[in-house]
């Protein structure tokens, strides 16, 4: 072993036993050898004598790199030497009377040798080395070793150059075209003849060699003359290989792959149809009924489905009646086997079941009525859909426990099912009655054979029923028919043994909810619906995911049925007693704060039920009191003992209080403002007492943000529920909320004030005047951080919260101004902030990147001008405001910001903003007259004078006529400036 071989072995070592520095030296040594002029002769010598596969691989890799990089600079002698040597290795010939050992090496060495040959072909075929393929053919008589090498060469040529399955450069595409054209003209017929002879000769003695040849041939069918394969010699040979029992499965599968390549070859539709008919493909149908896991069955399945795809495509493209009849006959012949394959065999990844079946169903839309065989095919398509949407039982436990594997499988199936349900809808449009009967029978089958072991079948049947409901309009569902009534009855009256399965339980409940429009019109089913949701199939299901979803769906059902449920209120409340008790129980320490989603929906459903005026006042009061009283008592007890709690107990109590607030909040949604304030004020009194209790939370836990958020949400709810009667509670509530508010909480606080202003308008003036100075001080101090923050800070969570606060502030100021409350800005305690407010609004109206925000600020100015400014001769209500508007706002916002390049008139929002700016000018002219115009024109257009006068006159006319034609004027001025 010389130094070169040692260096190569060290550089390839992956054992970790070699010192890293020594390995680096070996790599560098090998790299230097590659750069020597004698590298090619060195590599060929090593390939002849050295049996070390690392050395062989390195030499072949080095040769390939040298040819790729240095081919243009090589001498003719060197090129001839490399060409002859490499070819001799591949053909099992000696080099300088010495036999090369490469073909005795592992497959990856022979693959590398074939890649070196392809690199030479890239540069030399056909102009320099025109006989490479023809020269190779006589050597095939040497037997399997050379045949194998020739097949590897053709495979490498396909992989590295010819196949368009890989991205190619323009140069590579051009070379591939050149090579294929030359091969077609020169050697393809000889190669095909060689394939035929080899397979005929070795089919019984060396099936492995035949498999290699057929797999190679399959790649070339797409671009060689199809007549070389489709003839009286080759096609019978291929079918003989497929159909004879005694041959190896791999050989039979390889022959099927070649026939599939023939079937898939692109050609004229009529020619393709003749080819497909001549194949008599039905002779292979029986092969798919054997062992479904074998390579042969998979290959035959791929052949049959590929054949069906091509026949279907031909049926769309042929334009004669005879051809259409033939195509439909071939489809009718192959479809039963295709359906069997879809349901029982491993499908080829390239075949799309949905795409094929959708294409076939689309052909039926053109028929006025379906034939008997088409109706049969529809039933088989539905069976395929049912089979395909079924979960694999192996994932049953994962899906039930919702572990990582279960989550991934459920997500995969949800995505996979989308197209299948689209197909189901299309089938339903073509054959609605067949579809409904199939779904009915599927459900009946699931019911009759239901056991813990067939949860997947039940889930699939229910999913089909759910999907059927999605295709029906509300009107069709309300009217219903005998079949729909039968389906719903079977659904509601069945208790599946596998109902404990999470997926079965979920789709069962979802399906009932899907058909609620029918139940709404057929109230006799209501007891069955209630039973399904209130027993262990729904809210009391042992799986928490099911019970949560059941709670939500039940709330939606109550919303839909409402008064129809009044006779069942006692039954419902009795069934939900244990759920309610988890919140009303005084044994707080034993309750785990496991989330309140289910409780919220249950309480909302109860609120919707007992909040109806159909319920008598006495019962309504009893129901509500039985819920609110224990909940409030728990809060009061917790607040009384808050100081004595240790940190762990305190955390638990805080979580419990949160759940209680959520429950009360949800409960109140069922009670309208009219009911609690006008028709039944006693009910309103209960909610006022509850509000009084919950507001104490802000006093006892002033800095617990989750509790403050929940209380704020409840105040929002009470504003809608109690109306103006909530006013006495607001000062205390707002004071406590404002006392400890951070920027994030301040957003919620401003939203509450917005709600109050929008609902009560000027009635909240006193409250607003009281809190506005504090709000202004806090907010302006906070948002200054946004102004001061550097670019690098803009992505921090704190800055994002401050930006959200600033955005909410603009909305707050806009709501104040547009609800006749601008006097709040002028109250004695608020005047200190007036300048800051005006400067903020001015800067925003001119420069803010959000056009909608700019528009809101302009609208605020318009309203303030109307509120604070009298006619030209009137006394100033706000000293200095008029001059600020004329001298600063008018020129900066109404002129300079519009003339800025960033003002994009092509944007719809910008045009709306421009309309507001023009309206602002109209209002300023109405209020200030010539004072506004003279200053606006003289400051905005200092020269030439006649242009200013002309603009002034035009603006006067446009504003006097209350028209918006100053748009044209602004466009003109933009061009001038």
């Amino acid at each position: 072993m010389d130094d070169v071989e040692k260096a190569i072995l060290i550089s390839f070592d992956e054992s970790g036993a070699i010192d890293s520095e020594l390995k680096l030296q070996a790599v560098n040594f090998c790299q230097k050898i590659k750069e020597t002029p004698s590298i090619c002769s060195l590599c060929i010598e090593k390939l002849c004598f050295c049996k070390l596969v690392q050395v062989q691989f390195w030499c072949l890799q080095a040769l390939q790199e040298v040819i790729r990089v240095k081919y243009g600079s090589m001498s003719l002698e060197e090129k001839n030497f490399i060409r002859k040597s490499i070819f001799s290795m591949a053909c099992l010939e000696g080099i300088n009377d010495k036999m090369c050992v490469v073909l005795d090496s592992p497959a990856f060495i022979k693959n590398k040798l074939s890649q070196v040959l392809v690199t030479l072909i890239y540069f030399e075929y056909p102009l320099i080395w025109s006989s490479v393929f023809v020269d190779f053919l006589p050597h095939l008589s040497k037997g399997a070793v050379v045949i194998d090498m020739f097949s590897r060469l053709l495979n490498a040529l396909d992989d590295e150059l010819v196949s368009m399955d890989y991205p190619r450069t323009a140069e590579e595409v051009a070379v591939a075209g050149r090579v294929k054209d030359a091969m077609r003209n020169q050697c393809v017929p000889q190669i095909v003849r060689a394939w035929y002879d080899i397979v005929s000769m070795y089919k019984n003695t060396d099936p492995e060699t035949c498999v290699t040849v057929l797999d190679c041939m399959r790649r070339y069918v797409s671009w060689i003359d199809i007549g070389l394969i489709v003839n009286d010699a080759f096609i019978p040979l291929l079918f003989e290989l497929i159909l004879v029992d005694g041959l190896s499965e791999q050989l039979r599968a390889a022959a099927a792959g070649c026939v599939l390549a023939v079937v898939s070859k692109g050609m004229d539709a009529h020619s393709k149809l003749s080819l497909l008919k001549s194949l008599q493909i039905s002779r292979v149908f029986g092969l798919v009924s054997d062992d479904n896991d074998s390579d042969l069955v998979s290959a035959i399945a791929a052949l049959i489905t590929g054949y069906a795809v091509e026949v279907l495509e031909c049926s769309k493209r042929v334009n004669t009646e005879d051809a259409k009849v033939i195509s439909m006959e071939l489809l009718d012949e192959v479809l039963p086997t295709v359906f069997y394959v879809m349901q029982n065999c491993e499908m080829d990844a390239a075949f799309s079941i949905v795409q094929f079946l959708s294409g076939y169903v689309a052909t039926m839309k053109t028929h006025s009525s379906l034939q008997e065989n088409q109706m049969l095919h529809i039933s088989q398509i539905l069976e395929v859909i049912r089979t395909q949407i079924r979960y694999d039982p192996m994932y049953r436990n994962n899906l039930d426990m919702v572990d990582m594997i279960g989550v991934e499988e459920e997500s995969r199936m949800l995505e996979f099912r989308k197209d299948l349900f689209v197909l189901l809808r299309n089938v339903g449009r073509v054959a609605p009655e067949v579809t409904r009967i199939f779904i009915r029978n599927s459900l009946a089958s699931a019911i009759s054979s239901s056991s813990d072991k067939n949860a997947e079948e039940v889930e699939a049947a229910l999913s089909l029923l759910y999907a059927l409901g999605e295709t029906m309009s509300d009107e069709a569902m309300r009217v219903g028919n005998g079949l729909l009534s039968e389906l719903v009855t079977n659904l509601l009256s069945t208790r599946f043994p596998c109902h404990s399965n999470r997926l079965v339980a979920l789709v069962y409940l979802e399906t009932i909810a899907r058909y609620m429009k029918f139940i709404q019109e057929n109230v006799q089913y209501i007891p069955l619906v209630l039973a399904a949701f209130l027993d262990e199939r729904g809210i009391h299901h042992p799986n928490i995911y099911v019970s949560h979803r059941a709670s939500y769906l039940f709330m939606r059902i109550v919303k839909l049925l409402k008064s129809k449920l009044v006779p069942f209120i006692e039954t419902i409340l009795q069934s939900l007693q244990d759920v309610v008790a988890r919140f009303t129980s005084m044994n707080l320490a034993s309750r785990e704060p496991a989330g309140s989603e289910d409780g919220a929906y249950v309480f909302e459903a109860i609120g919707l039920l007992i909040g109806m005026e159909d319920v008598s006042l006495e019962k309504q009061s009893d129901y509500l009191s039985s819920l609110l009283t224990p909940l409030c008592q728990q809060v009061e007890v917790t607040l009384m003992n808050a100081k004595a709690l240790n940190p762990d107990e305190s955390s638990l109590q805080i979580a419990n209080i949160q759940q209680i607030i959520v429950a009360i909040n949800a409960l109140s949604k069922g009670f309208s403002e009219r009911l609690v304030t006008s028709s039944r004020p006693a009910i309103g009194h209960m909610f006022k007492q509850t509000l009084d209790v919950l507001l104490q939370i802000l006093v006892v836990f002033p800095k617990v943000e989750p509790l403050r958020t929940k209380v704020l949400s409840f105040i929002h709810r009470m504003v809608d529920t109690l109306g103006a009667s909530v006013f006495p509670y607001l000062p205390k509530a707002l004071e406590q909320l404002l006392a400890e508010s951070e920027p994030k909480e301040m957003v919620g606080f401003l939203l509450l004030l917005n709600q109050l202003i929008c609902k009560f308008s000027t009635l909240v003036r006193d409250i607003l005047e009281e809190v506005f100075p504090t709000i202004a001080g806090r907010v302006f101090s906070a948002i200054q951080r946004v102004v001061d923050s550097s670019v690098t800070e803009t992505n921090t969570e704190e800055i994002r919260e401050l930006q959200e606060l600033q955005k909410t502030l603009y909305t707050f100021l806009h709501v104040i101004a547009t609800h006749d409350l601008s006097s709040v800005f002028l109250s004695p305690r608020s005047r200190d902030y007036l300048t800051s407010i005006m400067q903020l609004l001015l800067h925003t109206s001119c420069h803010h990147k959000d056009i909608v925000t700019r528009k809101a600020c302009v609208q605020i100015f318009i309203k303030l001008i109307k509120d604070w400014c009298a006619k030209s001769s009137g006394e100033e209500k706000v000293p200095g405001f008029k001059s600020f508007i004329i001298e600063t706002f008018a020129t900066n916002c109404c002129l300079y910001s519009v003339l800025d390049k960033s003002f994009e008139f092509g944007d719809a929002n910008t045009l709306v903003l421009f309309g507001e700016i023009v309206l602002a000018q109209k209002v300023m002219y109405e209020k200030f007259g010539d004072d506004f115009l003279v200053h606006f024109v003289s400051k905005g257009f200092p020269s030439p004078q006649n242009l200013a006068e002309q603009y002034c006159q035009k603006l006067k006319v446009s504003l006097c006529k209350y028209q918006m034609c100053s748009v044209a004027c602004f466009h003109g001025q933009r061009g001038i400036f």
Side-chain angles (χ1 to χ4, degrees):
M1 185 185 299
D2 60 19
D3 290 344
V4 174
E5 293 171 0
K6 289 179 181 176
I8 293 171
L9 289 176
I10 292 172
S11 67
F12 274 97
D13 182 79
E14 297 295 336
S15 66
I18 303 295
D19 180 71
S20 59
E21 187 173 340
L22 178 61
K23 186 173 182 179
L24 181 61
Q25 289 175 358
V27 171
N28 292 334
F29 179 75
C30 291
Q31 188 61 37
K32 287 179 180 178
I33 293 173
K34 284 184 183 180
E35 297 167 3
T36 60
S38 60
I39 180 62
C40 293
S41 58
L42 173 67
C43 289
I44 289 169
E45 182 184 352
K46 294 293 182 188
L47 288 168
C48 287
F49 297 108
C50 185
K51 294 185 179 182
L52 296 169
V53 293
Q54 295 94 327
V55 175
Q56 291 176 352
F57 185 85
W58 185 90
C59 290
L60 289 168
Q61 181 71 38
L63 280 172
Q64 187 178 18
E65 289 178 13
V66 169
I67 295 169
R68 280 178 177 169
V69 177
K70 299 180 179 181
Y71 181 83
S73 61
M74 285 182 180
S75 65
L76 287 175
E77 182 182 357
E78 190 173 12
K79 291 176 183 176
N80 289 333
F81 172 69
I82 295 172
R83 185 187 311 125
K84 182 179 178 182
S85 300
I86 294 298
F87 187 75
S88 297
M89 292 179 201
C91 294
L92 206 60
E93 285 191 314
I95 301 175
N96 297 327
D97 299 326
K98 296 172 184 176
M99 190 59 65
C100 183
V101 297
V102 172
L103 293 193
D104 294 330
S105 301
F108 73 93
I109 297 296
K110 290 183 275 192
N111 287 340
K112 197 66 190 176
L113 176 60
S114 68
Q115 290 173 5
V116 176
L117 266 170
V118 169
T119 306
L120 282 170
I121 290 170
Y122 183 94
F123 289 107
E124 298 190 344
Y125 182 79
L127 299 178
I128 299 172
W129 191 11
S130 60
S131 61
V132 54
F133 299 106
V134 175
D135 290 346
F136 214 126
L137 292 174
H139 296 281
L140 298 179
S141 60
K142 294 178 180 178
V145 174
V146 178
I147 293 171
D148 175 75
M149 191 62 222
F150 185 60
S151 297
R152 290 181 191 276
L153 168 62
L154 293 177
N155 290 344
L157 182 66
D158 183 62
D159 287 336
E160 302 293 324
L161 186 59
V162 172
S163 174
M164 290 295 110
D165 292 339
Y166 309 99
R168 306 290 187 197
T169 65
E171 180 186 347
E172 288 171 337
V173 171
V175 173
R178 184 191 74 206
V179 169
K180 288 194 291 184
D181 289 342
M183 290 182 70
R184 288 190 193 101
N185 293 331
Q186 183 201 45
C187 60
V188 165
Q190 295 95 308
I191 292 173
V192 174
R193 181 68 201 187
W195 287 335
Y196 178 82
D197 291 340
I198 292 167
V199 174
S200 299
M201 183 184 299
Y202 289 98
K203 62 183 180 182
N204 294 313
T205 58
D206 191 352
E208 189 176 342
T209 294
C210 294
V211 170
T212 300
V213 169
L214 290 173
D215 284 342
C216 175
M217 172 181 136
R218 172 181 52 80
R219 295 167 173 248
Y220 282 75
V221 170
S222 64
W223 61 269
I224 65 176
D225 179 7
I226 193 63
L228 296 171
I229 308 295
V230 180
N231 51 51
D232 293 338
F234 226 133
I235 289 297
L237 174 61
L238 291 173
F239 275 96
E240 178 191 340
L241 296 174
I242 293 171
L243 296 170
V244 172
D245 276 342
L247 299 177
S248 75
E249 277 207 355
Q250 290 76 14
L251 177 55
R252 298 170 74 185
C258 288
V259 177
L260 175 59
V262 170
V263 164
S264 305
K265 185 173 176 67
M267 61 178 73
D268 167 73
H270 288 274
S271 301
K272 170 65 76 70
L273 192 60
S274 298
L275 166 62
L276 295 173
K277 185 178 180 182
S278 71
L279 292 177
Q280 301 176 41
I281 202 73
S282 59
R283 43 190 163 159
V284 305
F285 290 171
L287 297 177
V288 296
S289 59
D290 298 332
D291 180 8
N292 293 333
D293 293 329
S294 71
D295 292 339
L296 174 61
V297 171
S298 297
I300 298 299
L303 171 57
I304 292 170
T305 53
Y307 174 90
V309 168
E310 295 299 326
V311 173
L312 180 61
E313 192 60 31
C314 284
S315 72
K316 299 175 186 176
R317 291 162 50 203
V318 294
N319 50 23
T320 66
E321 280 304 314
D322 288 346
K324 287 184 181 294
V325 169
I326 292 171
S327 64
M328 294 314 295
E329 287 176 350
L330 294 179
L331 261 181
D332 289 339
E333 180 185 46
V334 73
L335 277 173
T337 308
V338 171
F339 294 137
Y340 177 86
V341 165
M342 289 176 178
Q343 296 175 71
N344 298 283
C345 301
E346 191 71 30
M347 298 301 300
D348 183 69
F351 177 70
S352 169
I353 292 175
V354 174
Q355 186 176 346
F356 171 74
L357 294 179
S358 296
Y360 177 65
V361 171
T363 65
M364 298 185 188
K365 294 179 181 177
T366 59
H367 299 96
S368 56
S369 61
L370 299 181
Q371 299 174 1
E372 185 177 346
N373 64 326
Q374 290 175 318
M375 299 289 274
L376 177 60
H377 293 161
I378 286 291
S379 297
Q380 290 174 310
I381 290 171
L382 291 167
E383 187 59 48
V384 168
I385 293 173
R386 187 168 73 113
T387 302
Q388 290 291 317
I389 67 171
R390 208 157 43 207
Y391 279 92
D392 190 328
M394 70 179 288
Y395 295 110
R396 186 181 299 170
N397 290 335
N398 304 105
L399 289 163
D400 231 22
M401 295 185 295
V402 201
D403 60 16
M404 186 178 297
I405 296 173
V407 169
E408 289 177 359
E409 177 63 10
E410 188 169 5
S411 298
R412 186 193 69 80
M413 283 294 285
L414 285 173
E415 191 62 32
F416 176 68
R417 284 176 162 192
K418 286 179 182 177
D419 291 338
L420 287 163
F421 285 135
V422 170
L423 173 61
L424 178 67
R425 284 197 288 273
N426 291 336
V427 173
R429 294 188 187 102
V430 171
E433 196 60 27
V434 174
T435 304
R436 292 192 187 102
I437 291 172
F438 177 84
I439 292 174
R440 179 195 64 186
N441 293 342
S442 296
L443 183 62
S445 173
I447 291 171
S448 62
S449 63
S450 179
S451 70
D452 285 337
K453 295 181 180 179
N454 73 334
E456 291 73 26
E457 182 186 344
V458 172
E459 195 277 339
L462 291 172
S463 295
L464 288 175
L465 182 55
Y466 177 88
L468 175 66
E470 282 193 310
T471 66
M472 300 176 68
S473 66
D474 287 351
E475 184 59 29
M477 194 173 288
R478 274 194 291 268
V479 173
N481 56 41
L483 182 57
L484 182 60
S485 175
E486 180 185 345
L487 284 169
V488 174
T489 303
N490 288 341
L491 176 70
L492 293 172
S493 59
T494 302
R495 289 176 176 267
F496 298 102
C498 57
H499 222 115
S500 60
N501 180 278
R502 181 180 68 89
L503 291 179
V504 171
L506 285 174
V507 72
Y508 178 78
L509 297 172
E510 296 282 0
T511 305
I512 294 175
R514 171 59 62 187
Y515 286 91
M516 284 311 298
K517 294 290 183 184
F518 174 80
I519 293 165
Q520 197 174 12
E521 299 298 319
N522 297 271
V523 295
Q524 68 270 23
Y525 295 108
I526 288 179
L528 292 175
V529 173
L530 293 177
F533 276 92
L534 295 174
D535 63 22
E536 69 282 353
R537 290 172 290 174
I539 292 173
H540 291 94
H541 195 281
N543 187 295
I544 191 170
Y545 298 100
V546 176
S547 62
H548 281 186
R549 186 64 180 170
S551 300
Y552 169 72
L553 292 174
F554 180 68
M555 179 271 294
R556 278 179 45 194
I557 287 170
V558 170
K559 272 186 178 179
L560 187 67
L561 298 178
K562 273 203 166 178
S563 59
K564 292 182 173 66
L565 294 177
V566 171
F568 306 97
I569 289 179
E570 294 284 355
T571 303
I572 294 170
L573 292 179
Q574 186 66 32
S575 299
L576 294 175
Q577 196 170 21
D578 59 330
V579 178
V580 172
R582 293 209 302 269
F583 291 80
T584 57
S585 169
M586 294 297 290
N587 187 17
L588 296 179
S590 65
R591 179 164 15 115
E592 295 182 9
S596 54
E597 182 184 352
D598 56 337
Y601 292 133
V602 166
F603 273 84
E604 184 173 351
I606 293 173
L608 291 166
L609 284 169
I610 67 175
M612 293 184 284
E613 293 200 39
D614 304 74
V615 180
S616 68
L617 173 60
E618 182 182 359
K619 283 193 172 184
Q620 196 171 58
S621 299
D622 289 344
Y623 293 147
L624 187 58
S625 177
S626 67
L627 293 165
L628 290 180
T629 300
L631 291 172
C632 289
Q633 285 175 351
Q634 287 186 72
V635 174
E636 289 174 326
V637 169
T638 302
L639 296 180
M640 287 174 57
N641 300 326
K643 292 182 179 179
L645 298 174
N646 62 44
D648 289 340
E649 291 173 333
S650 180
S651 297
L652 178 62
Q653 301 304 342
I654 287 169
N656 288 332
I657 292 177
Q658 286 185 69
Q659 291 192 47
I660 289 171
I661 299 172
V662 168
I664 296 174
N665 204 348
L667 182 69
S668 68
K669 292 179 181 179
F671 294 82
S672 67
E673 180 181 349
R674 192 185 65 80
L675 182 140
V676 302
T677 58
S678 300
S679 59
R680 297 179 180 180
I683 300 297
H685 181 67
M686 292 187 192
F687 280 114
K688 291 176 189 176
Q689 289 178 316
T690 302
L691 177 61
D692 205 28
V693 171
L694 297 189
L695 288 178
Q696 294 300 316
I697 296 170
L698 299 175
V699 178
V700 178
F701 296 104
K703 296 184 179 182
V704 181
E705 190 267 338
L707 283 180
R708 293 168 61 83
T709 302
K710 291 290 188 296
V711 173
L712 179 62
S713 175
F714 183 66
I715 296 171
H716 274 291
R717 183 73 247 150
M718 289 299 98
V719 170
D720 283 336
T721 303
L722 296 174
S725 61
V726 80
F727 271 35
Y729 301 89
L730 290 178
K732 174 185 175 183
L734 297 178
E735 178 187 352
Q736 292 297 327
L737 287 170
L738 201 53
E740 302 288 342
S741 58
E742 296 294 325
K744 186 177 179 180
E745 288 184 74
M746 184 61 78
V747 170
F749 186 80
L750 293 180
L751 291 176
L752 173 61
L753 291 177
N754 287 347
Q755 180 193 18
L756 291 168
I757 295 169
C758 292
K759 187 173 181 66
F760 302 115
S761 193
T762 55
L763 293 177
V764 297
R765 187 189 309 275
D766 292 343
I767 293 174
L768 205 55
E769 287 183 354
E770 182 66 29
V771 298
F772 186 81
T774 307
I775 293 171
R778 295 267 184 88
V779 173
F780 277 107
S781 173
I783 63 175
Q784 186 61 38
R785 287 283 313 281
V786 179
V787 179
D788 296 340
S789 64
S790 64
V791 176
T792 56
E793 291 180 304
T794 54
N795 289 324
T796 67
E797 184 63 30
E798 182 185 4
I799 295 300
R800 282 197 292 272
E801 288 180 3
L802 292 172
Q803 288 170 339
E804 181 64 25
L805 175 59
Q806 187 180 46
K807 183 179 178 181
T808 308
L809 173 64
Y810 294 131
T811 305
F812 176 56
L813 297 176
H814 186 271
V815 169
I816 290 176
T818 54
H819 284 78
D820 298 322
L821 288 166
S822 61
S823 61
V824 170
F825 300 139
L826 305 178
S827 67
R829 293 175 56 214
S830 299
R831 272 186 178 269
D832 291 343
Y833 300 100
L834 187 58
T835 300
S836 298
I837 292 171
M838 293 301 107
Q839 291 299 328
L840 176 67
L841 293 174
L842 176 65
H843 182 270
T844 304
S845 64
C846 296
H847 304 293
H848 203 285
K849 62 182 179 181
D850 181 27
I851 297 297
V852 176
T853 302
R854 288 173 68 174
K855 181 192 74 172
C857 291
V858 174
Q859 289 173 333
I860 293 172
F861 275 119
I862 292 171
K863 192 66 174 71
L864 295 181
I865 294 168
K866 289 179 179 179
D867 288 354
W868 294 352
C869 299
K871 295 292 183 181
S872 301
S873 58
E875 182 180 346
E876 281 196 72
K877 185 176 181 180
V878 183
F881 181 69
K882 175 182 175 181
S883 59
F884 169 78
I885 292 296
I886 293 175
E887 296 172 11
T888 307
F889 170 73
T891 51
N892 284 281
C893 179
C894 299
L895 182 60
Y896 297 146
S897 74
V898 177
L899 297 177
D900 190 271
K901 292 179 181 179
S902 64
F903 202 90
E904 182 52 64
F905 279 94
D907 176 65
N909 285 330
T910 304
L911 284 177
V912 175
L913 168 61
F914 185 64
E916 295 296 334
I917 289 173
V918 173
L919 178 60
Q921 294 176 71
K922 180 177 80 70
V923 172
M924 285 187 285
Y925 178 69
E926 289 175 350
K927 293 290 187 179
F928 310 137
D930 287 345
D931 289 350
F932 156 63
L933 284 181
V934 169
H935 188 277
F936 184 67
V937 174
S938 62
K939 294 294 184 182
F941 311 104
S943 65
Q945 187 62 31
N946 61 337
L947 179 63
E949 291 175 356
Q950 184 181 2
Y951 177 83
C952 178
Q953 186 59 37
K954 286 187 176 182
L955 192 58
K956 273 186 179 181
V957 172
S958 65
L959 295 180
C960 287
K961 291 182 177 180
Y962 298 100
Q963 294 177 345
M964 310 294 272
C965 61
S966 54
V967 174
C969 183
F970 271 114
H971 275 298
Q973 297 309 322
R974 286 194 69 173
I976 292 171
F977 279 85

